[in-house]
Amino acid sequence: AVSPADMRRSILALALQGVLVHQDPNDEPARMLLERIHSEKAQMVRNGTLKRVEELVDVKEATPPFGLPDGWEFVALSEICTSITDGDHLPPPKTESGVPFLVIGNVRWGGIDFSDIRYVSEEYFAKLDRIRKPRKGDILYTLVGSFGIPVLVNVARPFCVQRHIGILRPSSEVSVDFLVYVLASDFVLEQSSAIATG
């Protein structure tokens, strides 16, 4: 018998390969979407809301691990996100109340757990760079301990995270729900594990 977890992994793997649904040849190719994302990021740099960053990885030279339907492309995460960072690296001053400060234990499969949380002062929170302040539509990604858990931020309340939690801000052109599924896949976990240290 196939376990529900194995079934979920198999379905997710097939979805990532584009074999679960009929491919419409009239669908816009990924290259056009990527051009719009590039334009969006360039506009953000001109507006001063995004720092110019160098691309970290060129996946176009790598051998694809599996074939994709026509119009699909493998891309680096940095190509479809306007920022990728983590929490502040300085130990935050804890307070009895204020802005929630989440640690790895607060990021669980299925969502963010705001029970049993720590707090930082409003002053500390105000000084954080805006990319270190998760907002609705961002994706949190655990980097240690319970490694590789992606969670969509679906709340508008202010909070911050420890440095062991990644903050991914996808382009407005990207389906964040699909991206969460991609990040939850064995395919991405294997890549993450291969470059993880410590």
Side-chain angles (χ1 to χ4, degrees):
V2 177
S3 73
D6 287 341
M7 179 68 75
R8 178 188 164 279
R9 281 195 296 273
S10 295
I11 291 171
L12 189 51
L14 293 171
L16 293 182
Q17 295 174 41
V19 298
L20 289 184
V21 295
H22 172 72
Q23 298 298 313
D24 184 345
N26 296 318
D27 281 347
E28 174 185 70
R31 179 57 30 212
M32 293 178 73
L33 171 66
L34 292 170
E35 287 174 8
R36 283 200 311 278
I37 292 171
H38 179 75
S39 295
E40 174 190 19
K41 290 167 76 171
Q43 183 62 46
M44 292 174 74
V45 169
R46 286 191 295 275
N47 293 345
T49 56
L50 177 68
K51 296 175 186 171
R52 183 176 303 278
V53 293
E54 297 296 323
E55 292 299 324
L56 302 176
V57 177
D58 184 7
V59 297
K60 290 160 191 62
E61 299 299 320
T63 302
F66 49 81
L68 291 175
D70 288 340
W72 288 40
E73 289 191 33
F74 284 101
V75 296
L77 196 54
S78 60
E79 286 188 69
I80 59 171
C81 289
T82 58
S83 71
I84 299 175
T85 191
D86 56 6
D88 192 16
H89 287 225
L90 297 174
K94 297 177 188 169
T95 58
E96 293 297 315
S97 62
V99 178
F101 175 75
L102 304 185
V103 297
I104 291 287
N106 299 112
V107 180
R108 302 187 177 160
W109 288 106
I112 300 169
D113 181 4
F114 280 98
S115 65
D116 191 29
I117 55 175
R118 302 171 188 179
Y119 295 94
V120 295
S121 70
E122 296 277 351
E123 293 78 22
Y124 169 84
F125 182 75
K127 291 178 183 174
L128 289 175
D129 189 306
R130 69 175 159 257
I131 65 171
R132 294 192 192 276
K133 297 176 184 177
R135 64 185 190 198
K136 191 171 184 177
D138 286 354
I139 299 171
L140 302 182
Y141 190 79
T142 58
L143 303 173
V144 299
S146 299
F147 174 75
I149 299 174
V151 173
L152 176 62
V153 176
N154 59 5
V155 295
R157 71 186 286 187
F159 68 94
C160 54
V161 298
Q162 72 177 152
R163 65 187 175 103
H164 303 305
I165 300 172
I167 306 167
L168 286 66
R169 186 155 297 156
S171 160
S172 60
E173 297 282 343
V174 172
S175 165
V176 291
D177 293 320
F178 183 72
L179 185 54
V180 168
Y181 284 120
V182 170
L183 292 169
S185 71
D186 288 342
F187 172 66
V188 169
L189 185 59
E190 287 168 11
Q191 291 178 63
S192 300
S193 298
I195 61 170
T197 59

